Structure formats: structure tokens, C-alpha cells
Amino acid sequence: MTTTDSLPNYLDSVPTALPLIDTHTHFDAPVFDNDRVVQAAKAYARGVRHLVLVGYLHRHFERLYQTQQSLTLAQQNNTARSSFSLNPDSDQSASYPQAHIALGLHPFYIEQHSEAHLASMAKMLTTQRPIAIGEIGLDTYTDAMKQPEVFAKQQRFFNAQLDMAVEHQLPVMLHIRKAHAEALAIVKDHDFDAHKLGGIAHSFSGGEQEAKAFVKLGFKLGVTGQVSNPNAKKLRRAIQAAVDSYGLECLVLETDCPDMTPIMCQNTAHNQSALGQSPDDGWDTAAGTNRNVPANLPWVLASLSELLEVDTTTLATQLWQNSCTALQNSFSA
């Protein structure tokens, strides 16, 4: 899907828009540069009122703030045009989700991170306070990342960023792939308390017991478009098990765009993760993927509603509150 493609026609059949929070996006990625404002307006029209721009590489931190500013300016400009319109019957204004920023050094890119990046990030937290620390955690998806020295560096950076979260009293967004036991051990041994500070196990991919373990520690489980795939049986069982034990209060929604496209929104047979495929690690040249967009979030809601057999209005209301809790923020609708 190119950056100028419109959304598929079937998205017009999405149920009545309900207020939603997209708790995890990479909407600052270059793959959105040609139509970011258009896609933001479409997201708002489908109920997305807030979205979080999540950091992963230090060199892209400034891009997060530039993207946030561009959406703010677009809203201000459209509001001004609407206010001075000579035709009172015309609606020239578009609305956009409010963008929030999380700062973090992603474990997948651990070899690109340095101690200087940690120090710079720590300084930024005092002058440009984000909504959360993330995405941070552990990742042993590839053989290279399982190497002792590489994994030890991941653990060191994970602990250092948990330290920052405690110091600044901020929630964290966890990225964990094939390292759930190790991540659980670090969080349990650390001073970070998700019950008090909030937190999300982003794009949760563990099993039933791991899901319940993270929720017990105070984390919400981030549910992406993967839940729409009936073949994602492990994930769907884990979500159901967590809800059976802890109720609907344990979940939040996220697109993780441009990744994790809901199955009904895919237009090619290939939907592998774009993570790490781009030379700039920004998804701008990742091939063979279906670009996910924030406007797809209602499909995540609909799929979760079907899985849990809970009506979408009830579920959306609870998920909004869950997001406020997880990110320690009283979001306005």
C-alpha cells in the first residue's frame, strides 16, 4: 500500500464511531509523510481522539515532536479557517486526534544505542516531559539478539529506562518478544510499580500465564490488529484468560501502525512486520507489508468485541478508562 492510497471502501461500513485512544503508534514514520494529515482526519472521523507517538531510536526523537506539532498546527489552521468562513453553512474544519509522545530506546535496535543516548534521553525527560517511557524491554527474536553480550546490553538499557520511569513517575510501554520470563523477572526485581505508575505490555504476544502475570503486576495488555486473525489462537486464548481472571479492565487498544494491520484491512497476502526492514528503521521502504493506519483502530475494537462477546459501546467505554489508567492521564473526549 502506498502512502497516498485511500482506505479500502469497506471501512465505510465500520459501526458508528466511538471515542477511542490509540495507545501505540509510529505515526511519525516516513511512510506517512505524504498523507499524514489526511490519515489523521480519517482517524478522528472514526472515533480516534488521542494517539501516542512511541519512540524507538534516539535519532528519531525529534521527529516525534515535529509530528506532534504538525498535527497541532493543522488543527489550529482548520479551526481558524472555519471561524473566518464567509459561508456559515459550510464546514471547512477537520479535526485531528491529539498526539502524545513516549520516549524510549527499543531493544530490537540495541546495537544502535549508546550510553550517550541514555544520557541524552534522561536530560530530555526534564525539559520535554513525555506521557510515558517506551517502548522498552527485551527481544530475542533473532539468533543475533540471543547472544550473551547483546542480551546483557538489552537488560542494562531496560533497567536504566525503568530507573528513569521511577525517577520521573512515568508509566512504561513494554516491548517483549520471546523473552517474557526474563522481562517479568526484571520488572519484579525493580522499584517500578505499574499499579501506581501505569504501564502497557505493548502488542502482547505471550501465553495465558504470562498475560495474567503482567496484569497482576499492574500492566494493561496492548491489543493490536493481530486479534482479528482467527489463526492467532495463542494470543486470543491469552486475552480471554486475562479477562476471565481480571475483567475487561486489563486491556487497551493500539494499532502499532504502520505494523499489525487488521486482517480485514489487508490488501496483500503478505503482512510480515516492517520492523527493521527499512534502512532508516522507519518503515519508509519496507516491502511486502500492508500499511496500517490509525483509522483502522475501530476494527481492532470490533474484533475484540467479537472475541469477548461484549458489545462495542460497553467495551469502548471501558477501554477508554483503561487507557487513562495505564497512561496516568485524564484524556478528554
Side-chain angles (χ1 to χ4, degrees), residues 23-58:
T23 63
H24 197 111
T25 80
H26 298 288
F27 199 46
D28 61 303
V31 73
F32 294 112
D33 283 353
N34 289 347
D35 66 344
R36 183 176 289 110
V37 172
V38 171
Q39 291 299 339
K42 290 181 177 181
Y44 191 94
R46 293 192 168 93
V48 181
R49 296 293 178 261
H50 298 266
L51 57 82
V52 183
L53 306 168
V54 182
Y56 57 101
L57 277 169
H58 182 271

PDB file of all heavy atoms in Angstrom, residues 23-58:
ATOM      1  N   THR A  23      -3.187   3.716  21.795  1.00  0.00           N
ATOM      2  CA  THR A  23      -2.125   3.847  22.788  1.00  0.00           C
ATOM      3  C   THR A  23      -0.729   3.578  22.252  1.00  0.00           C
ATOM      4  O   THR A  23       0.245   3.774  22.979  1.00  0.00           O
ATOM      5  CB  THR A  23      -2.384   2.911  23.982  1.00  0.00           C
ATOM      6  OG1 THR A  23      -2.345   1.538  23.535  1.00  0.00           O
ATOM      7  CG2 THR A  23      -3.728   3.191  24.642  1.00  0.00           C
ATOM      8  N   HIS A  24      -0.609   3.170  20.979  1.00  0.00           N
ATOM      9  CA  HIS A  24       0.732   2.877  20.474  1.00  0.00           C
ATOM     10  C   HIS A  24       0.749   3.011  18.956  1.00  0.00           C
ATOM     11  O   HIS A  24       0.140   2.224  18.237  1.00  0.00           O
ATOM     12  CB  HIS A  24       1.145   1.460  20.863  1.00  0.00           C
ATOM     13  CG  HIS A  24       2.619   1.211  20.753  1.00  0.00           C
ATOM     14  ND1 HIS A  24       3.431   1.021  21.859  1.00  0.00           N
ATOM     15  CD2 HIS A  24       3.434   1.121  19.673  1.00  0.00           C
ATOM     16  CE1 HIS A  24       4.673   0.810  21.462  1.00  0.00           C
ATOM     17  NE2 HIS A  24       4.700   0.874  20.137  1.00  0.00           N
ATOM     18  N   THR A  25       1.447   4.037  18.461  1.00  0.00           N
ATOM     19  CA  THR A  25       1.618   4.236  17.027  1.00  0.00           C
ATOM     20  C   THR A  25       3.051   4.633  16.719  1.00  0.00           C
ATOM     21  O   THR A  25       3.791   5.088  17.595  1.00  0.00           O
ATOM     22  CB  THR A  25       0.695   5.350  16.480  1.00  0.00           C
ATOM     23  OG1 THR A  25       1.287   6.636  16.777  1.00  0.00           O
ATOM     24  CG2 THR A  25      -0.704   5.292  17.066  1.00  0.00           C
ATOM     25  N   HIS A  26       3.408   4.453  15.451  1.00  0.00           N
ATOM     26  CA  HIS A  26       4.629   5.040  14.897  1.00  0.00           C
ATOM     27  C   HIS A  26       4.197   5.920  13.733  1.00  0.00           C
ATOM     28  O   HIS A  26       4.706   5.812  12.609  1.00  0.00           O
ATOM     29  CB  HIS A  26       5.605   3.945  14.485  1.00  0.00           C
ATOM     30  CG  HIS A  26       6.049   3.100  15.638  1.00  0.00           C
ATOM     31  ND1 HIS A  26       6.917   3.564  16.609  1.00  0.00           N
ATOM     32  CD2 HIS A  26       5.687   1.855  16.025  1.00  0.00           C
ATOM     33  CE1 HIS A  26       7.088   2.616  17.525  1.00  0.00           C
ATOM     34  NE2 HIS A  26       6.345   1.579  17.191  1.00  0.00           N
ATOM     35  N   PHE A  27       3.249   6.801  14.033  1.00  0.00           N
ATOM     36  CA  PHE A  27       2.641   7.676  13.034  1.00  0.00           C
ATOM     37  C   PHE A  27       3.615   8.746  12.544  1.00  0.00           C
ATOM     38  O   PHE A  27       3.310   9.474  11.602  1.00  0.00           O
ATOM     39  CB  PHE A  27       1.380   8.319  13.636  1.00  0.00           C
ATOM     40  CG  PHE A  27       0.410   8.877  12.650  1.00  0.00           C
ATOM     41  CD1 PHE A  27       0.026   8.160  11.523  1.00  0.00           C
ATOM     42  CD2 PHE A  27      -0.158  10.130  12.855  1.00  0.00           C
ATOM     43  CE1 PHE A  27      -0.884   8.683  10.622  1.00  0.00           C
ATOM     44  CE2 PHE A  27      -1.069  10.660  11.959  1.00  0.00           C
ATOM     45  CZ  PHE A  27      -1.438   9.928  10.837  1.00  0.00           C
ATOM     46  N   ASP A  28       4.768   8.836  13.192  1.00  0.00           N
ATOM     47  CA  ASP A  28       5.812   9.753  12.738  1.00  0.00           C
ATOM     48  C   ASP A  28       6.668   9.150  11.629  1.00  0.00           C
ATOM     49  O   ASP A  28       7.494   9.853  11.041  1.00  0.00           O
ATOM     50  CB  ASP A  28       6.717  10.128  13.908  1.00  0.00           C
ATOM     51  CG  ASP A  28       7.421   8.908  14.500  1.00  0.00           C
ATOM     52  OD1 ASP A  28       6.709   7.962  14.918  1.00  0.00           O
ATOM     53  OD2 ASP A  28       8.662   8.887  14.555  1.00  0.00           O
ATOM     54  N   ALA A  29       6.486   7.872  11.319  1.00  0.00           N
ATOM     55  CA  ALA A  29       7.333   7.191  10.341  1.00  0.00           C
ATOM     56  C   ALA A  29       7.203   7.819   8.953  1.00  0.00           C
ATOM     57  O   ALA A  29       6.141   8.330   8.586  1.00  0.00           O
ATOM     58  CB  ALA A  29       6.957   5.708  10.271  1.00  0.00           C
ATOM     59  N   PRO A  30       8.269   7.795   8.162  1.00  0.00           N
ATOM     60  CA  PRO A  30       8.247   8.405   6.829  1.00  0.00           C
ATOM     61  C   PRO A  30       7.163   7.851   5.907  1.00  0.00           C
ATOM     62  O   PRO A  30       6.756   8.539   4.961  1.00  0.00           O
ATOM     63  CB  PRO A  30       9.643   8.091   6.277  1.00  0.00           C
ATOM     64  CG  PRO A  30      10.503   7.972   7.488  1.00  0.00           C
ATOM     65  CD  PRO A  30       9.631   7.335   8.530  1.00  0.00           C
ATOM     66  N   VAL A  31       6.686   6.644   6.162  1.00  0.00           N
ATOM     67  CA  VAL A  31       5.654   6.053   5.321  1.00  0.00           C
ATOM     68  C   VAL A  31       4.355   6.854   5.373  1.00  0.00           C
ATOM     69  O   VAL A  31       3.474   6.693   4.517  1.00  0.00           O
ATOM     70  CB  VAL A  31       5.411   4.579   5.736  1.00  0.00           C
ATOM     71  CG1 VAL A  31       4.680   4.492   7.054  1.00  0.00           C
ATOM     72  CG2 VAL A  31       4.690   3.801   4.644  1.00  0.00           C
ATOM     73  N   PHE A  32       4.230   7.769   6.349  1.00  0.00           N
ATOM     74  CA  PHE A  32       3.051   8.631   6.446  1.00  0.00           C
ATOM     75  C   PHE A  32       3.304  10.063   5.961  1.00  0.00           C
ATOM     76  O   PHE A  32       2.403  10.903   6.026  1.00  0.00           O
ATOM     77  CB  PHE A  32       2.560   8.690   7.900  1.00  0.00           C
ATOM     78  CG  PHE A  32       2.048   7.376   8.422  1.00  0.00           C
ATOM     79  CD1 PHE A  32       2.742   6.703   9.417  1.00  0.00           C
ATOM     80  CD2 PHE A  32       0.882   6.815   7.932  1.00  0.00           C
ATOM     81  CE1 PHE A  32       2.286   5.492   9.907  1.00  0.00           C
ATOM     82  CE2 PHE A  32       0.415   5.605   8.411  1.00  0.00           C
ATOM     83  CZ  PHE A  32       1.115   4.933   9.408  1.00  0.00           C
ATOM     84  N   ASP A  33       4.495  10.349   5.496  1.00  0.00           N
ATOM     85  CA  ASP A  33       4.845  11.731   5.185  1.00  0.00           C
ATOM     86  C   ASP A  33       3.948  12.349   4.107  1.00  0.00           C
ATOM     87  O   ASP A  33       3.679  13.558   4.141  1.00  0.00           O
ATOM     88  CB  ASP A  33       6.308  11.829   4.743  1.00  0.00           C
ATOM     89  CG  ASP A  33       7.283  11.750   5.907  1.00  0.00           C
ATOM     90  OD1 ASP A  33       6.820  11.749   7.071  1.00  0.00           O
ATOM     91  OD2 ASP A  33       8.506  11.677   5.654  1.00  0.00           O
ATOM     92  N   ASN A  34       3.477  11.554   3.151  1.00  0.00           N
ATOM     93  CA  ASN A  34       2.706  12.118   2.044  1.00  0.00           C
ATOM     94  C   ASN A  34       1.244  12.378   2.376  1.00  0.00           C
ATOM     95  O   ASN A  34       0.577  13.139   1.672  1.00  0.00           O
ATOM     96  CB  ASN A  34       2.775  11.198   0.825  1.00  0.00           C
ATOM     97  CG  ASN A  34       4.148  11.195   0.181  1.00  0.00           C
ATOM     98  OD1 ASN A  34       4.981  12.037   0.479  1.00  0.00           O
ATOM     99  ND2 ASN A  34       4.381  10.230  -0.696  1.00  0.00           N
ATOM    100  N   ASP A  35       0.736  11.732   3.434  1.00  0.00           N
ATOM    101  CA  ASP A  35      -0.698  11.878   3.703  1.00  0.00           C
ATOM    102  C   ASP A  35      -1.029  11.814   5.193  1.00  0.00           C
ATOM    103  O   ASP A  35      -2.130  11.445   5.561  1.00  0.00           O
ATOM    104  CB  ASP A  35      -1.489  10.787   2.957  1.00  0.00           C
ATOM    105  CG  ASP A  35      -1.206   9.376   3.457  1.00  0.00           C
ATOM    106  OD1 ASP A  35      -0.185   9.178   4.159  1.00  0.00           O
ATOM    107  OD2 ASP A  35      -2.001   8.472   3.155  1.00  0.00           O
ATOM    108  N   ARG A  36      -0.084  12.227   6.034  1.00  0.00           N
ATOM    109  CA  ARG A  36      -0.284  12.102   7.481  1.00  0.00           C
ATOM    110  C   ARG A  36      -1.508  12.880   7.965  1.00  0.00           C
ATOM    111  O   ARG A  36      -2.316  12.368   8.744  1.00  0.00           O
ATOM    112  CB  ARG A  36       0.973  12.565   8.228  1.00  0.00           C
ATOM    113  CG  ARG A  36       0.881  12.396   9.753  1.00  0.00           C
ATOM    114  CD  ARG A  36       2.176  12.769  10.419  1.00  0.00           C
ATOM    115  NE  ARG A  36       3.216  11.790  10.148  1.00  0.00           N
ATOM    116  CZ  ARG A  36       4.274  12.004   9.371  1.00  0.00           C
ATOM    117  NH1 ARG A  36       4.420  13.183   8.745  1.00  0.00           N
ATOM    118  NH2 ARG A  36       5.182  11.060   9.174  1.00  0.00           N
ATOM    119  N   VAL A  37      -1.658  14.124   7.522  1.00  0.00           N
ATOM    120  CA  VAL A  37      -2.785  14.937   7.976  1.00  0.00           C
ATOM    121  C   VAL A  37      -4.107  14.340   7.496  1.00  0.00           C
ATOM    122  O   VAL A  37      -5.094  14.309   8.233  1.00  0.00           O
ATOM    123  CB  VAL A  37      -2.620  16.393   7.502  1.00  0.00           C
ATOM    124  CG1 VAL A  37      -3.876  17.200   7.796  1.00  0.00           C
ATOM    125  CG2 VAL A  37      -1.418  17.048   8.190  1.00  0.00           C
ATOM    126  N   VAL A  38      -4.125  13.845   6.280  1.00  0.00           N
ATOM    127  CA  VAL A  38      -5.339  13.196   5.753  1.00  0.00           C
ATOM    128  C   VAL A  38      -5.700  11.978   6.590  1.00  0.00           C
ATOM    129  O   VAL A  38      -6.866  11.772   6.966  1.00  0.00           O
ATOM    130  CB  VAL A  38      -5.138  12.798   4.278  1.00  0.00           C
ATOM    131  CG1 VAL A  38      -6.305  11.938   3.787  1.00  0.00           C
ATOM    132  CG2 VAL A  38      -4.991  14.035   3.404  1.00  0.00           C
ATOM    133  N   GLN A  39      -4.700  11.156   6.878  1.00  0.00           N
ATOM    134  CA  GLN A  39      -4.963   9.959   7.671  1.00  0.00           C
ATOM    135  C   GLN A  39      -5.377  10.311   9.101  1.00  0.00           C
ATOM    136  O   GLN A  39      -6.212   9.616   9.702  1.00  0.00           O
ATOM    137  CB  GLN A  39      -3.732   9.052   7.700  1.00  0.00           C
ATOM    138  CG  GLN A  39      -3.405   8.399   6.369  1.00  0.00           C
ATOM    139  CD  GLN A  39      -4.508   7.494   5.861  1.00  0.00           C
ATOM    140  OE1 GLN A  39      -5.346   7.027   6.624  1.00  0.00           O
ATOM    141  NE2 GLN A  39      -4.512   7.249   4.559  1.00  0.00           N
ATOM    142  N   ALA A  40      -4.833  11.388   9.645  1.00  0.00           N
ATOM    143  CA  ALA A  40      -5.223  11.818  10.990  1.00  0.00           C
ATOM    144  C   ALA A  40      -6.689  12.236  11.003  1.00  0.00           C
ATOM    145  O   ALA A  40      -7.443  11.912  11.936  1.00  0.00           O
ATOM    146  CB  ALA A  40      -4.335  12.966  11.464  1.00  0.00           C
ATOM    147  N   ALA A  41      -7.129  12.953   9.969  1.00  0.00           N
ATOM    148  CA  ALA A  41      -8.525  13.374   9.893  1.00  0.00           C
ATOM    149  C   ALA A  41      -9.449  12.169   9.770  1.00  0.00           C
ATOM    150  O   ALA A  41     -10.535  12.124  10.377  1.00  0.00           O
ATOM    151  CB  ALA A  41      -8.721  14.317   8.710  1.00  0.00           C
ATOM    152  N   LYS A  42      -9.044  11.169   8.986  1.00  0.00           N
ATOM    153  CA  LYS A  42      -9.851   9.956   8.843  1.00  0.00           C
ATOM    154  C   LYS A  42      -9.942   9.213  10.175  1.00  0.00           C
ATOM    155  O   LYS A  42     -11.000   8.663  10.522  1.00  0.00           O
ATOM    156  CB  LYS A  42      -9.254   9.053   7.769  1.00  0.00           C
ATOM    157  CG  LYS A  42      -9.409   9.596   6.360  1.00  0.00           C
ATOM    158  CD  LYS A  42      -8.824   8.646   5.325  1.00  0.00           C
ATOM    159  CE  LYS A  42      -9.049   9.181   3.914  1.00  0.00           C
ATOM    160  NZ  LYS A  42      -8.517   8.278   2.876  1.00  0.00           N
ATOM    161  N   ALA A  43      -8.848   9.200  10.909  1.00  0.00           N
ATOM    162  CA  ALA A  43      -8.855   8.537  12.209  1.00  0.00           C
ATOM    163  C   ALA A  43      -9.831   9.224  13.153  1.00  0.00           C
ATOM    164  O   ALA A  43     -10.616   8.564  13.859  1.00  0.00           O
ATOM    165  CB  ALA A  43      -7.448   8.521  12.803  1.00  0.00           C
ATOM    166  N   TYR A  44      -9.785  10.546  13.185  1.00  0.00           N
ATOM    167  CA  TYR A  44     -10.702  11.290  14.061  1.00  0.00           C
ATOM    168  C   TYR A  44     -12.150  11.024  13.673  1.00  0.00           C
ATOM    169  O   TYR A  44     -13.013  10.843  14.536  1.00  0.00           O
ATOM    170  CB  TYR A  44     -10.405  12.790  14.001  1.00  0.00           C
ATOM    171  CG  TYR A  44     -11.131  13.581  15.058  1.00  0.00           C
ATOM    172  CD1 TYR A  44     -10.526  13.881  16.274  1.00  0.00           C
ATOM    173  CD2 TYR A  44     -12.439  14.020  14.842  1.00  0.00           C
ATOM    174  CE1 TYR A  44     -11.198  14.588  17.257  1.00  0.00           C
ATOM    175  CE2 TYR A  44     -13.119  14.727  15.816  1.00  0.00           C
ATOM    176  CZ  TYR A  44     -12.497  15.011  17.023  1.00  0.00           C
ATOM    177  OH  TYR A  44     -13.179  15.704  17.995  1.00  0.00           O
ATOM    178  N   ALA A  45     -12.418  10.991  12.383  1.00  0.00           N
ATOM    179  CA  ALA A  45     -13.783  10.751  11.915  1.00  0.00           C
ATOM    180  C   ALA A  45     -14.288   9.379  12.341  1.00  0.00           C
ATOM    181  O   ALA A  45     -15.503   9.176  12.469  1.00  0.00           O
ATOM    182  CB  ALA A  45     -13.840  10.881  10.394  1.00  0.00           C
ATOM    183  N   ARG A  46     -13.361   8.442  12.582  1.00  0.00           N
ATOM    184  CA  ARG A  46     -13.755   7.101  13.008  1.00  0.00           C
ATOM    185  C   ARG A  46     -13.609   6.910  14.511  1.00  0.00           C
ATOM    186  O   ARG A  46     -13.610   5.789  15.008  1.00  0.00           O
ATOM    187  CB  ARG A  46     -12.958   6.069  12.227  1.00  0.00           C
ATOM    188  CG  ARG A  46     -13.334   6.096  10.744  1.00  0.00           C
ATOM    189  CD  ARG A  46     -12.795   4.918   9.980  1.00  0.00           C
ATOM    190  NE  ARG A  46     -13.438   4.871   8.673  1.00  0.00           N
ATOM    191  CZ  ARG A  46     -12.940   5.428   7.569  1.00  0.00           C
ATOM    192  NH1 ARG A  46     -11.783   6.064   7.623  1.00  0.00           N
ATOM    193  NH2 ARG A  46     -13.583   5.360   6.429  1.00  0.00           N
ATOM    194  N   GLY A  47     -13.460   8.025  15.242  1.00  0.00           N
ATOM    195  CA  GLY A  47     -13.533   7.965  16.691  1.00  0.00           C
ATOM    196  C   GLY A  47     -12.223   8.088  17.437  1.00  0.00           C
ATOM    197  O   GLY A  47     -12.224   8.185  18.662  1.00  0.00           O
ATOM    198  N   VAL A  48     -11.092   8.085  16.749  1.00  0.00           N
ATOM    199  CA  VAL A  48      -9.796   8.139  17.428  1.00  0.00           C
ATOM    200  C   VAL A  48      -9.546   9.565  17.902  1.00  0.00           C
ATOM    201  O   VAL A  48      -9.326  10.470  17.091  1.00  0.00           O
ATOM    202  CB  VAL A  48      -8.657   7.664  16.513  1.00  0.00           C
ATOM    203  CG1 VAL A  48      -7.317   7.718  17.263  1.00  0.00           C
ATOM    204  CG2 VAL A  48      -8.924   6.251  16.001  1.00  0.00           C
ATOM    205  N   ARG A  49      -9.595   9.771  19.201  1.00  0.00           N
ATOM    206  CA  ARG A  49      -9.459  11.110  19.762  1.00  0.00           C
ATOM    207  C   ARG A  49      -8.043  11.420  20.226  1.00  0.00           C
ATOM    208  O   ARG A  49      -7.641  12.575  20.312  1.00  0.00           O
ATOM    209  CB  ARG A  49     -10.428  11.273  20.947  1.00  0.00           C
ATOM    210  CG  ARG A  49     -11.896  11.172  20.541  1.00  0.00           C
ATOM    211  CD  ARG A  49     -12.268  12.361  19.658  1.00  0.00           C
ATOM    212  NE  ARG A  49     -13.657  12.298  19.189  1.00  0.00           N
ATOM    213  CZ  ARG A  49     -14.012  11.858  17.991  1.00  0.00           C
ATOM    214  NH1 ARG A  49     -13.085  11.427  17.139  1.00  0.00           N
ATOM    215  NH2 ARG A  49     -15.279  11.831  17.631  1.00  0.00           N
ATOM    216  N   HIS A  50      -7.283  10.390  20.561  1.00  0.00           N
ATOM    217  CA  HIS A  50      -5.902  10.563  21.023  1.00  0.00           C
ATOM    218  C   HIS A  50      -5.061   9.437  20.437  1.00  0.00           C
ATOM    219  O   HIS A  50      -5.548   8.317  20.246  1.00  0.00           O
ATOM    220  CB  HIS A  50      -5.808  10.513  22.548  1.00  0.00           C
ATOM    221  CG  HIS A  50      -6.568  11.588  23.240  1.00  0.00           C
ATOM    222  ND1 HIS A  50      -5.996  12.786  23.624  1.00  0.00           N
ATOM    223  CD2 HIS A  50      -7.875  11.656  23.625  1.00  0.00           C
ATOM    224  CE1 HIS A  50      -6.910  13.537  24.207  1.00  0.00           C
ATOM    225  NE2 HIS A  50      -8.070  12.877  24.218  1.00  0.00           N
ATOM    226  N   LEU A  51      -3.799   9.747  20.168  1.00  0.00           N
ATOM    227  CA  LEU A  51      -2.854   8.718  19.763  1.00  0.00           C
ATOM    228  C   LEU A  51      -1.492   9.020  20.374  1.00  0.00           C
ATOM    229  O   LEU A  51      -1.155  10.177  20.636  1.00  0.00           O
ATOM    230  CB  LEU A  51      -2.782   8.580  18.246  1.00  0.00           C
ATOM    231  CG  LEU A  51      -2.417   9.791  17.389  1.00  0.00           C
ATOM    232  CD1 LEU A  51      -0.913  10.023  17.331  1.00  0.00           C
ATOM    233  CD2 LEU A  51      -2.968   9.611  15.972  1.00  0.00           C
ATOM    234  N   VAL A  52      -0.749   7.967  20.627  1.00  0.00           N
ATOM    235  CA  VAL A  52       0.574   8.098  21.236  1.00  0.00           C
ATOM    236  C   VAL A  52       1.636   7.787  20.197  1.00  0.00           C
ATOM    237  O   VAL A  52       1.602   6.728  19.548  1.00  0.00           O
ATOM    238  CB  VAL A  52       0.729   7.163  22.454  1.00  0.00           C
ATOM    239  CG1 VAL A  52       2.102   7.383  23.108  1.00  0.00           C
ATOM    240  CG2 VAL A  52      -0.387   7.409  23.464  1.00  0.00           C
ATOM    241  N   LEU A  53       2.560   8.713  20.010  1.00  0.00           N
ATOM    242  CA  LEU A  53       3.710   8.533  19.128  1.00  0.00           C
ATOM    243  C   LEU A  53       4.833   7.942  19.967  1.00  0.00           C
ATOM    244  O   LEU A  53       5.314   8.585  20.907  1.00  0.00           O
ATOM    245  CB  LEU A  53       4.146   9.879  18.540  1.00  0.00           C
ATOM    246  CG  LEU A  53       3.058  10.697  17.824  1.00  0.00           C
ATOM    247  CD1 LEU A  53       3.564  12.112  17.560  1.00  0.00           C
ATOM    248  CD2 LEU A  53       2.633  10.027  16.542  1.00  0.00           C
ATOM    249  N   VAL A  54       5.253   6.748  19.638  1.00  0.00           N
ATOM    250  CA  VAL A  54       6.157   5.999  20.512  1.00  0.00           C
ATOM    251  C   VAL A  54       7.567   5.964  19.946  1.00  0.00           C
ATOM    252  O   VAL A  54       7.784   5.617  18.775  1.00  0.00           O
ATOM    253  CB  VAL A  54       5.636   4.566  20.726  1.00  0.00           C
ATOM    254  CG1 VAL A  54       6.547   3.797  21.670  1.00  0.00           C
ATOM    255  CG2 VAL A  54       4.212   4.605  21.293  1.00  0.00           C
ATOM    256  N   GLY A  55       8.543   6.302  20.784  1.00  0.00           N
ATOM    257  CA  GLY A  55       9.933   6.347  20.363  1.00  0.00           C
ATOM    258  C   GLY A  55      10.594   4.988  20.351  1.00  0.00           C
ATOM    259  O   GLY A  55      10.216   4.093  21.098  1.00  0.00           O
ATOM    260  N   TYR A  56      11.611   4.864  19.503  1.00  0.00           N
ATOM    261  CA  TYR A  56      12.367   3.609  19.447  1.00  0.00           C
ATOM    262  C   TYR A  56      13.852   3.820  19.158  1.00  0.00           C
ATOM    263  O   TYR A  56      14.678   3.026  19.571  1.00  0.00           O
ATOM    264  CB  TYR A  56      11.749   2.644  18.428  1.00  0.00           C
ATOM    265  CG  TYR A  56      11.642   3.183  17.014  1.00  0.00           C
ATOM    266  CD1 TYR A  56      12.572   2.821  16.040  1.00  0.00           C
ATOM    267  CD2 TYR A  56      10.592   4.025  16.643  1.00  0.00           C
ATOM    268  CE1 TYR A  56      12.463   3.279  14.740  1.00  0.00           C
ATOM    269  CE2 TYR A  56      10.473   4.484  15.349  1.00  0.00           C
ATOM    270  CZ  TYR A  56      11.408   4.116  14.395  1.00  0.00           C
ATOM    271  OH  TYR A  56      11.299   4.582  13.115  1.00  0.00           O
ATOM    272  N   LEU A  57      14.197   4.904  18.460  1.00  0.00           N
ATOM    273  CA  LEU A  57      15.590   5.240  18.196  1.00  0.00           C
ATOM    274  C   LEU A  57      15.842   6.700  18.573  1.00  0.00           C
ATOM    275  O   LEU A  57      15.031   7.573  18.258  1.00  0.00           O
ATOM    276  CB  LEU A  57      15.926   5.051  16.715  1.00  0.00           C
ATOM    277  CG  LEU A  57      16.291   3.645  16.249  1.00  0.00           C
ATOM    278  CD1 LEU A  57      16.330   3.592  14.728  1.00  0.00           C
ATOM    279  CD2 LEU A  57      17.636   3.219  16.809  1.00  0.00           C
ATOM    280  N   HIS A  58      16.972   6.947  19.213  1.00  0.00           N
ATOM    281  CA  HIS A  58      17.279   8.298  19.678  1.00  0.00           C
ATOM    282  C   HIS A  58      17.282   9.305  18.538  1.00  0.00           C
ATOM    283  O   HIS A  58      16.795  10.440  18.689  1.00  0.00           O
ATOM    284  CB  HIS A  58      18.637   8.304  20.392  1.00  0.00           C
ATOM    285  CG  HIS A  58      19.018   9.642  20.941  1.00  0.00           C
ATOM    286  ND1 HIS A  58      19.717  10.580  20.203  1.00  0.00           N
ATOM    287  CD2 HIS A  58      18.782  10.215  22.150  1.00  0.00           C
ATOM    288  CE1 HIS A  58      19.905  11.652  20.939  1.00  0.00           C
ATOM    289  NE2 HIS A  58      19.354  11.465  22.127  1.00  0.00           N
TER     290      HIS A  58
END
